[in-house]
Amino acid sequence: MSLFIGLLAFANHPILQSEVKVGILGGSLVAGILGFIVLRLSGSKTEPERQAAD
């Protein structure tokens, strides 16, 4: 949806359209990588760790 809106906003400016595409796709990639890292670092407790915590 962001790509669609960005392309509509700069309909007559092909250079700005390219920058919008790169910015949106780059931001999505960075958000995906950071989300993966956060989930990987948070980890889930294994069954023995849960029992020891209780």
Side-chain angles (χ1 to χ4, degrees), residues 22-40:
V22 170
I24 291 170
L25 294 175
S28 297
L29 181 66
V30 169
I33 291 170
L34 289 175
F36 174 78
I37 291 170
V38 167
L39 290 174
R40 191 74 164 159

Side-chain angles (χ1 to χ4, degrees), residues 7-43:
L7 294 178
L8 284 179
F10 302 110
N12 297 326
H13 304 284
I15 294 174
L16 291 178
Q17 286 181 345
S18 297
E19 290 177 1
V20 165
K21 290 177 189 176
V22 170
I24 291 170
L25 294 175
S28 297
L29 181 66
V30 169
I33 291 170
L34 289 175
F36 174 78
I37 291 170
V38 167
L39 290 174
R40 191 74 164 159
L41 292 176
S42 68

